[in-house]
Amino acid sequence: MGLTFSSLYHFIFGGGQFKVVMVGLDNAGKSTILYRLHLGDVISTHPTVGSNVEEVVHRNVHFQMWDLGGQDKLRKVWSTYYCGAHAVVLVVDSTDRQRLSIVREELEAITSHEDLRTAALLVLANKQDVQGALTAVEITEQLKLHSNKDHAWQIQPCSAITGKGLLEGMDWIAHTLRNKR
């Protein structure tokens, strides 16, 4: 009886648990974002070797968030984490104009991967608090996001340091994944 009531409660009031993989090039701000969401504060981070995983609870939704290292050698093994992922968060350093073509190539690999065919895609245009950062519209154009017809996607300008825009991005993921059930 208790299990039935609990299941009904989560179905009606939206809870749930979802796996999210967070990817992006090195120095994009993935770990800072993960710990900002998990702890509510900025902590000192180091380049991720392998992965970090934390549970983030947002609006009664539990996210198992995997922060994957973004160095070239580590990007080659991202796909081993894709199995069972409900969403992908692609973190883009909005000040790193020179490597946007690499981000676009990685995005193409992500969106064409079989394990992610139904995954939602959130692009976080990070470092919007830095002078000269590309806007979300400019990043959308550079990454050719409008040509992505196979995935529900959203781009969200944000700052891992100030936290601005992060909760809006999580709102979008929570809403999108709840409605996919």
Side-chain angles (χ1 to χ4, degrees):
M1 174 78 173
L3 181 60
T4 304
F5 181 72
S6 176
S7 298
L8 182 61
Y9 176 85
H10 284 297
F11 180 77
I12 293 171
F13 295 106
Q17 186 157 1
F18 300 100
K19 178 181 178 182
V20 177
V21 290
M22 186 165 22
V23 296
L25 303 185
D26 52 303
N27 200 38
K30 299 176 299 297
S31 296
T32 304
I33 289 169
L34 175 66
Y35 290 108
R36 166 65 93 163
L37 292 170
H38 178 64
L39 301 172
D41 203 1
V42 175
I43 64 168
S44 178
T45 61
H46 302 283
T48 301
V49 178
S51 64
N52 297 310
V53 63
E54 297 291 349
E55 182 179 48
V56 173
V57 180
H58 179 76
R59 305 221 189 268
N60 197 32
V61 179
H62 294 256
F63 297 100
Q64 181 186 56
M65 296 197 68
W66 289 83
D67 159 28
L68 307 181
Q71 296 88 346
D72 183 45
K73 290 179 182 177
L74 297 174
R75 293 195 303 265
K76 293 177 171 84
V77 298
W78 282 355
S79 62
T80 61
Y81 293 89
Y82 294 165
C83 184
H86 299 96
V88 176
V89 175
L90 174 62
V91 180
V92 178
D93 178 344
S94 300
T95 66
D96 191 355
R97 298 168 188 267
Q98 294 78 21
R99 298 197 300 165
L100 272 177
S101 61
I102 298 170
V103 176
R104 184 173 53 245
E105 291 170 9
E106 294 296 345
L107 176 61
E108 289 170 4
I110 289 164
T111 57
S112 66
H113 196 280
E114 178 65 22
D115 286 337
L116 299 175
R117 69 183 185 286
T118 61
L121 172 67
L122 174 64
V123 178
L124 290 177
N126 191 26
K127 303 186 183 182
Q128 291 294 307
D129 54 323
V130 177
Q131 184 75 22
L134 291 166
T135 67
V137 171
E138 291 169 316
I139 292 170
T140 299
E141 292 169 357
Q142 291 285 322
L143 298 182
K144 301 179 181 174
L145 286 171
H146 289 293
S147 66
N148 182 357
K149 306 293 186 201
D150 297 328
H151 298 270
W153 65 269
Q154 172 74 19
I155 186 165
Q156 177 65 51
C158 70
S159 167
I161 300 299
T162 68
K164 185 175 181 182
L166 295 179
L167 296 181
E168 292 84 351
M170 294 304 294
D171 283 344
W172 181 83
I173 290 178
H175 175 78
T176 301
L177 294 180
R178 280 180 181 166
N179 288 338
K180 285 178 91 173
R181 285 201 241 171

Short mmCIF file of all heavy atoms in Angstrom, two decimals, residues 82-121:
data_model
loop_
_atom_site.label_atom_id
_atom_site.label_comp_id
_atom_site.label_asym_id
_atom_site.label_seq_id
_atom_site.Cartn_x
_atom_site.Cartn_y
_atom_site.Cartn_z
N TYR A 82 27.19 7.30 -21.48
CA TYR A 82 25.91 7.68 -22.07
C TYR A 82 24.77 6.70 -21.78
O TYR A 82 23.60 7.09 -21.80
CB TYR A 82 26.03 7.84 -23.58
CG TYR A 82 26.90 8.98 -24.05
CD1 TYR A 82 27.34 9.04 -25.37
CD2 TYR A 82 27.29 10.00 -23.20
CE1 TYR A 82 28.12 10.08 -25.81
CE2 TYR A 82 28.08 11.04 -23.63
CZ TYR A 82 28.50 11.07 -24.95
OH TYR A 82 29.29 12.11 -25.39
N CYS A 83 25.09 5.44 -21.54
CA CYS A 83 24.05 4.43 -21.36
C CYS A 83 23.11 4.83 -20.21
O CYS A 83 23.55 5.11 -19.09
CB CYS A 83 24.69 3.08 -21.06
SG CYS A 83 23.50 1.74 -20.94
N GLY A 84 21.83 4.90 -20.50
CA GLY A 84 20.83 5.23 -19.50
C GLY A 84 20.67 6.72 -19.22
O GLY A 84 19.89 7.09 -18.34
N ALA A 85 21.37 7.57 -19.95
CA ALA A 85 21.27 9.02 -19.71
C ALA A 85 19.96 9.55 -20.27
O ALA A 85 19.57 9.23 -21.39
CB ALA A 85 22.44 9.76 -20.34
N HIS A 86 19.29 10.36 -19.47
CA HIS A 86 18.04 11.00 -19.89
C HIS A 86 18.29 12.37 -20.51
O HIS A 86 17.46 12.86 -21.27
CB HIS A 86 17.11 11.15 -18.69
CG HIS A 86 16.74 9.85 -18.06
ND1 HIS A 86 17.40 9.33 -16.97
CD2 HIS A 86 15.79 8.95 -18.41
CE1 HIS A 86 16.87 8.17 -16.66
NE2 HIS A 86 15.88 7.91 -17.50
N ALA A 87 19.40 12.99 -20.13
CA ALA A 87 19.70 14.34 -20.63
C ALA A 87 21.21 14.54 -20.70
O ALA A 87 21.97 13.89 -19.97
CB ALA A 87 19.08 15.41 -19.72
N VAL A 88 21.59 15.44 -21.58
CA VAL A 88 22.98 15.87 -21.72
C VAL A 88 23.01 17.37 -21.47
O VAL A 88 22.21 18.12 -22.02
CB VAL A 88 23.53 15.58 -23.13
CG1 VAL A 88 24.94 16.13 -23.29
CG2 VAL A 88 23.48 14.09 -23.44
N VAL A 89 23.96 17.79 -20.63
CA VAL A 89 24.22 19.21 -20.44
C VAL A 89 25.57 19.47 -21.09
O VAL A 89 26.59 18.92 -20.65
CB VAL A 89 24.25 19.61 -18.95
CG1 VAL A 89 24.65 21.07 -18.80
CG2 VAL A 89 22.91 19.34 -18.30
N LEU A 90 25.56 20.27 -22.14
CA LEU A 90 26.79 20.67 -22.82
C LEU A 90 27.16 22.05 -22.31
O LEU A 90 26.43 23.01 -22.52
CB LEU A 90 26.60 20.69 -24.34
CG LEU A 90 27.78 21.23 -25.16
CD1 LEU A 90 29.01 20.37 -24.98
CD2 LEU A 90 27.38 21.33 -26.62
N VAL A 91 28.29 22.14 -21.61
CA VAL A 91 28.74 23.41 -21.07
C VAL A 91 29.74 24.02 -22.06
O VAL A 91 30.72 23.38 -22.44
CB VAL A 91 29.40 23.24 -19.68
CG1 VAL A 91 29.86 24.59 -19.13
CG2 VAL A 91 28.42 22.57 -18.72
N VAL A 92 29.45 25.25 -22.46
CA VAL A 92 30.29 25.96 -23.42
C VAL A 92 30.91 27.17 -22.73
O VAL A 92 30.21 27.94 -22.08
CB VAL A 92 29.45 26.43 -24.63
CG1 VAL A 92 30.29 27.22 -25.62
CG2 VAL A 92 28.78 25.25 -25.32
N ASP A 93 32.21 27.31 -22.88
CA ASP A 93 32.91 28.50 -22.41
C ASP A 93 32.63 29.60 -23.44
O ASP A 93 33.17 29.57 -24.54
CB ASP A 93 34.40 28.23 -22.29
CG ASP A 93 35.21 29.44 -21.84
OD1 ASP A 93 34.71 30.58 -21.91
OD2 ASP A 93 36.38 29.24 -21.45
N SER A 94 31.79 30.54 -23.08
CA SER A 94 31.36 31.59 -24.02
C SER A 94 32.48 32.55 -24.40
O SER A 94 32.30 33.37 -25.30
CB SER A 94 30.20 32.38 -23.41
OG SER A 94 29.12 31.53 -23.15
N THR A 95 33.62 32.45 -23.74
CA THR A 95 34.74 33.33 -24.07
C THR A 95 35.77 32.63 -24.96
O THR A 95 36.70 33.26 -25.45
CB THR A 95 35.47 33.82 -22.80
OG1 THR A 95 36.09 32.71 -22.14
CG2 THR A 95 34.50 34.51 -21.85
N ASP A 96 35.60 31.34 -25.19
CA ASP A 96 36.58 30.54 -25.94
C ASP A 96 36.16 30.41 -27.40
O ASP A 96 35.73 29.35 -27.85
CB ASP A 96 36.73 29.16 -25.28
CG ASP A 96 37.91 28.37 -25.82
OD1 ASP A 96 38.57 28.84 -26.77
OD2 ASP A 96 38.17 27.28 -25.29
N ARG A 97 36.30 31.50 -28.12
CA ARG A 97 35.87 31.54 -29.52
C ARG A 97 36.67 30.58 -30.40
O ARG A 97 36.14 30.02 -31.35
CB ARG A 97 36.02 32.96 -30.07
CG ARG A 97 35.16 33.97 -29.38
CD ARG A 97 35.55 35.42 -29.74
NE ARG A 97 34.83 36.37 -28.92
CZ ARG A 97 33.69 36.92 -29.27
NH1 ARG A 97 33.14 36.64 -30.43
NH2 ARG A 97 33.09 37.77 -28.46
N GLN A 98 37.94 30.40 -30.09
CA GLN A 98 38.83 29.60 -30.93
C GLN A 98 38.45 28.13 -30.97
O GLN A 98 38.72 27.45 -31.96
CB GLN A 98 40.29 29.72 -30.45
CG GLN A 98 40.89 31.09 -30.59
CD GLN A 98 40.43 32.06 -29.50
OE1 GLN A 98 39.98 31.64 -28.45
NE2 GLN A 98 40.52 33.34 -29.78
N ARG A 99 37.82 27.62 -29.93
CA ARG A 99 37.54 26.19 -29.88
C ARG A 99 36.07 25.84 -30.11
O ARG A 99 35.67 24.68 -29.92
CB ARG A 99 38.01 25.60 -28.55
CG ARG A 99 39.52 25.74 -28.37
CD ARG A 99 40.06 24.84 -27.29
NE ARG A 99 39.49 25.08 -25.98
CZ ARG A 99 39.59 24.25 -24.95
NH1 ARG A 99 40.26 23.12 -25.07
NH2 ARG A 99 39.05 24.54 -23.79
N LEU A 100 35.28 26.80 -30.58
CA LEU A 100 33.86 26.49 -30.84
C LEU A 100 33.68 25.44 -31.93
O LEU A 100 32.72 24.67 -31.89
CB LEU A 100 33.09 27.76 -31.18
CG LEU A 100 32.53 28.50 -29.97
CD1 LEU A 100 31.84 29.78 -30.41
CD2 LEU A 100 31.59 27.64 -29.17
N SER A 101 34.60 25.38 -32.87
CA SER A 101 34.48 24.35 -33.92
C SER A 101 34.66 22.96 -33.32
O SER A 101 34.02 21.99 -33.74
CB SER A 101 35.49 24.59 -35.03
OG SER A 101 36.82 24.53 -34.53
N ILE A 102 35.52 22.84 -32.30
CA ILE A 102 35.69 21.56 -31.61
C ILE A 102 34.42 21.21 -30.84
O ILE A 102 33.97 20.06 -30.85
CB ILE A 102 36.91 21.60 -30.67
CG1 ILE A 102 38.19 21.84 -31.46
CG2 ILE A 102 37.01 20.32 -29.85
CD1 ILE A 102 39.41 22.14 -30.60
N VAL A 103 33.83 22.21 -30.19
CA VAL A 103 32.57 21.98 -29.47
C VAL A 103 31.50 21.51 -30.45
O VAL A 103 30.75 20.58 -30.15
CB VAL A 103 32.11 23.26 -28.73
CG1 VAL A 103 30.75 23.05 -28.07
CG2 VAL A 103 33.14 23.68 -27.69
N ARG A 104 31.43 22.13 -31.63
CA ARG A 104 30.44 21.73 -32.63
C ARG A 104 30.66 20.27 -33.05
O ARG A 104 29.69 19.50 -33.18
CB ARG A 104 30.49 22.65 -33.85
CG ARG A 104 29.41 22.33 -34.87
CD ARG A 104 29.34 23.34 -36.01
NE ARG A 104 30.61 23.52 -36.66
CZ ARG A 104 31.31 24.69 -36.65
NH1 ARG A 104 30.84 25.74 -36.05
NH2 ARG A 104 32.47 24.76 -37.26
N GLU A 105 31.90 19.86 -33.24
CA GLU A 105 32.19 18.47 -33.60
C GLU A 105 31.76 17.51 -32.49
O GLU A 105 31.18 16.45 -32.76
CB GLU A 105 33.68 18.29 -33.89
CG GLU A 105 34.15 18.97 -35.15
CD GLU A 105 35.68 18.99 -35.28
OE1 GLU A 105 36.36 18.31 -34.47
OE2 GLU A 105 36.18 19.68 -36.17
N GLU A 106 32.05 17.87 -31.25
CA GLU A 106 31.65 17.03 -30.13
C GLU A 106 30.13 16.96 -30.03
O GLU A 106 29.57 15.89 -29.75
CB GLU A 106 32.25 17.54 -28.82
CG GLU A 106 33.76 17.44 -28.74
CD GLU A 106 34.30 16.02 -28.78
OE1 GLU A 106 33.53 15.05 -28.58
OE2 GLU A 106 35.52 15.86 -28.99
N LEU A 107 29.45 18.08 -30.26
CA LEU A 107 27.99 18.10 -30.23
C LEU A 107 27.42 17.17 -31.30
O LEU A 107 26.46 16.44 -31.04
CB LEU A 107 27.48 19.53 -30.43
CG LEU A 107 25.96 19.69 -30.51
CD1 LEU A 107 25.29 19.21 -29.23
CD2 LEU A 107 25.62 21.14 -30.79
N GLU A 108 27.99 17.17 -32.48
CA GLU A 108 27.53 16.27 -33.55
C GLU A 108 27.68 14.82 -33.14
O GLU A 108 26.79 13.99 -33.38
CB GLU A 108 28.28 16.57 -34.84
CG GLU A 108 27.88 17.89 -35.47
CD GLU A 108 28.79 18.31 -36.62
OE1 GLU A 108 29.71 17.54 -37.00
OE2 GLU A 108 28.59 19.43 -37.13
N ALA A 109 28.80 14.49 -32.47
CA ALA A 109 29.01 13.12 -32.01
C ALA A 109 28.00 12.75 -30.92
O ALA A 109 27.47 11.63 -30.90
CB ALA A 109 30.44 12.96 -31.49
N ILE A 110 27.71 13.70 -30.04
CA ILE A 110 26.76 13.46 -28.96
C ILE A 110 25.36 13.21 -29.52
O ILE A 110 24.70 12.24 -29.16
CB ILE A 110 26.74 14.66 -27.99
CG1 ILE A 110 28.04 14.72 -27.18
CG2 ILE A 110 25.53 14.61 -27.07
CD1 ILE A 110 28.27 16.05 -26.49
N THR A 111 24.90 14.10 -30.39
CA THR A 111 23.52 14.00 -30.88
C THR A 111 23.31 12.82 -31.83
O THR A 111 22.18 12.42 -32.06
CB THR A 111 23.08 15.31 -31.56
OG1 THR A 111 23.98 15.63 -32.61
CG2 THR A 111 23.02 16.44 -30.54
N SER A 112 24.39 12.27 -32.37
CA SER A 112 24.24 11.11 -33.26
C SER A 112 24.46 9.78 -32.53
O SER A 112 24.30 8.72 -33.13
CB SER A 112 25.20 11.23 -34.45
OG SER A 112 26.54 11.15 -34.00
N HIS A 113 24.81 9.84 -31.26
CA HIS A 113 25.08 8.60 -30.51
C HIS A 113 23.78 7.86 -30.20
O HIS A 113 22.81 8.45 -29.72
CB HIS A 113 25.84 8.92 -29.22
CG HIS A 113 26.47 7.72 -28.63
ND1 HIS A 113 25.78 6.80 -27.87
CD2 HIS A 113 27.75 7.27 -28.70
CE1 HIS A 113 26.59 5.84 -27.50
NE2 HIS A 113 27.81 6.10 -27.98
N GLU A 114 23.79 6.57 -30.45
CA GLU A 114 22.60 5.73 -30.28
C GLU A 114 22.05 5.78 -28.86
O GLU A 114 20.83 5.83 -28.66
CB GLU A 114 22.94 4.27 -30.66
CG GLU A 114 21.81 3.30 -30.48
CD GLU A 114 20.61 3.55 -31.39
OE1 GLU A 114 20.79 4.19 -32.45
OE2 GLU A 114 19.50 3.10 -31.05
N ASP A 115 22.90 5.77 -27.84
CA ASP A 115 22.44 5.77 -26.46
C ASP A 115 21.76 7.07 -26.05
O ASP A 115 21.10 7.13 -25.01
CB ASP A 115 23.59 5.49 -25.49
CG ASP A 115 24.04 4.04 -25.51
OD1 ASP A 115 23.23 3.17 -25.91
OD2 ASP A 115 25.19 3.77 -25.13
N LEU A 116 21.94 8.12 -26.84
CA LEU A 116 21.37 9.43 -26.51
C LEU A 116 20.26 9.85 -27.47
O LEU A 116 19.86 11.01 -27.49
CB LEU A 116 22.48 10.49 -26.50
CG LEU A 116 23.59 10.27 -25.49
CD1 LEU A 116 24.69 11.30 -25.67
CD2 LEU A 116 23.05 10.29 -24.08
N ARG A 117 19.72 8.92 -28.21
CA ARG A 117 18.74 9.27 -29.25
C ARG A 117 17.48 9.94 -28.70
O ARG A 117 16.84 10.70 -29.39
CB ARG A 117 18.40 8.08 -30.13
CG ARG A 117 17.61 7.00 -29.47
CD ARG A 117 17.36 5.81 -30.40
NE ARG A 117 16.50 4.83 -29.80
CZ ARG A 117 16.86 3.99 -28.83
NH1 ARG A 117 18.08 4.03 -28.36
NH2 ARG A 117 16.00 3.12 -28.33
N THR A 118 17.13 9.65 -27.43
CA THR A 118 15.94 10.28 -26.84
C THR A 118 16.30 11.28 -25.74
O THR A 118 15.41 11.82 -25.08
CB THR A 118 14.99 9.22 -26.25
OG1 THR A 118 15.68 8.52 -25.21
CG2 THR A 118 14.51 8.25 -27.33
N ALA A 119 17.57 11.55 -25.56
CA ALA A 119 18.01 12.43 -24.47
C ALA A 119 17.72 13.89 -24.80
O ALA A 119 17.84 14.33 -25.94
CB ALA A 119 19.50 12.26 -24.21
N ALA A 120 17.34 14.63 -23.77
CA ALA A 120 17.18 16.09 -23.90
C ALA A 120 18.57 16.72 -23.88
O ALA A 120 19.50 16.17 -23.28
CB ALA A 120 16.33 16.62 -22.75
N LEU A 121 18.70 17.87 -24.52
CA LEU A 121 19.99 18.56 -24.62
C LEU A 121 19.86 19.98 -24.09
O LEU A 121 19.10 20.78 -24.63
CB LEU A 121 20.47 18.59 -26.07
CG LEU A 121 21.70 19.44 -26.37
CD1 LEU A 121 22.94 18.86 -25.69
CD2 LEU A 121 21.91 19.55 -27.88
#
